[in-house]
Amino acid sequence: MFLKDIFYNMCTADIINFYRQHLYVNALTLMDLTDDGVDIHEQVDLMIRSGQLYEFLDKCLDRRELEIIVYRYGLYGKSPHTQSETSKKLNISRSYVSRLEKKAIEKLKKMYDTTPF
């Protein structure tokens, strides 16, 4: 049933009472008025997980894996690069970059899976 159907069957006094009850119960908050369409819960979750990622990078990756992940994905304010660019920079084959990258990502995933949020 639509709201207009409910109002059609109500007298004016009932409609005024309805508005008074719901106006105070469902009052707009400053957040409602300034909502920019971004879910604050998702932002907080992203910030927490980003912080965890940087901790995990230092905890579980060796120097070479860390260098590859940072260079490939543009962490610590750097720009991201392709596997080919990474291989040239580190003077190793692209397939070796791929293997080390995969190994590093598996280590990071394991840390996320075993660490409480």
Side-chain angles (χ1 to χ4, degrees):
M1 182 179 269
F2 293 103
L3 198 55
K4 69 178 181 175
D5 296 328
I6 293 171
F7 287 156
Y8 184 77
N9 295 321
M10 297 171 74
C11 68
T12 306
D14 291 335
I15 293 172
I16 292 170
N17 285 335
F18 177 86
Y19 275 123
R20 283 184 181 151
Q21 288 174 346
H22 289 27
L23 181 64
Y24 295 114
V25 172
N26 295 326
L28 291 175
T29 65
L30 183 59
M31 284 295 289
D32 294 327
L33 298 174
T34 60
D35 183 23
D36 60 358
V38 177
D39 185 4
I40 191 74
H41 300 291
E42 287 180 21
Q43 284 182 326
V44 170
D45 183 54
L46 180 62
M47 287 175 56
I48 291 170
R49 291 191 179 275
S50 295
Q52 282 182 323
L53 173 65
Y54 283 98
E55 286 178 30
F56 296 163
L57 288 171
D58 293 331
K59 278 185 185 177
C60 71
L61 300 183
D62 64 32
R63 185 192 60 78
R64 186 69 145 220
E65 292 166 340
L66 178 62
E67 192 175 12
I68 287 171
I69 294 298
V70 168
Y71 197 73
R72 278 278 293 129
Y73 295 97
L75 304 177
Y76 297 106
K78 298 179 183 342
S79 58
H81 296 86
T82 65
Q83 286 183 343
S84 293
E85 292 169 331
T86 305
S87 69
K88 287 176 187 170
K89 179 184 186 282
L90 300 176
N91 201 24
I92 57 178
S93 70
R94 193 208 51 79
S95 62
Y96 191 51
V97 168
S98 180
R99 282 188 299 236
L100 289 173
E101 180 182 350
K102 182 179 178 183
K103 182 180 170 188
I105 290 171
E106 287 173 359
K107 285 182 177 181
L108 292 170
K109 184 180 179 328
K110 185 176 180 182
M111 285 293 287
Y112 269 112
D113 292 343
T114 60
T115 303
F117 183 55

